Amino acid sequence: MEYDKSITGRIIKKERERKDLKQNDLAALINISPKQISKYEKGELLPPMNMLIALCKVFDCEIGYLL
């Protein structure tokens, strides 16, 4: 199954803003660079499984929602 990176990126950005976090804040919470967060939000990269799990913990959601 192939997922749409741009949809996932929009959801990540929406949830980050809902939590009132900057890209730097979210990156620090899940131990990656802000540049990676930017790439996820722009739909350039799909986060790997371990990052999806970390994002779900921060956003209090299920993986299926992000995908």
Side-chain angles (χ1 to χ4, degrees):
M1 178 173 223
E2 195 164 319
Y3 298 101
D4 189 329
K5 296 179 286 193
S6 64
I7 292 172
T8 297
R10 283 195 301 269
I11 293 169
I12 291 170
K13 182 175 182 178
K14 179 180 82 170
E15 289 300 313
R16 176 180 60 78
E17 290 173 342
R18 186 178 66 81
K19 290 273 191 178
D20 200 28
L21 297 170
K22 302 214 178 299
Q23 286 182 344
N24 290 343
D25 301 329
L26 180 56
L29 286 173
I30 61 173
N31 252 355
I32 62 172
S33 72
K35 188 171 186 170
Q36 284 298 107
I37 298 294
S38 176
K39 287 182 179 185
Y40 296 157
E41 290 184 358
K42 290 179 184 175
E44 294 175 7
L45 291 174
L46 188 64
M49 186 58 67
N50 62 329
M51 287 297 106
L52 287 170
I53 292 168
L55 289 166
C56 287
K57 288 178 183 175
V58 171
F59 298 148
D60 192 30
C61 67
E62 296 183 8
I63 288 178
Y65 170 68
L66 294 178
L67 296 174

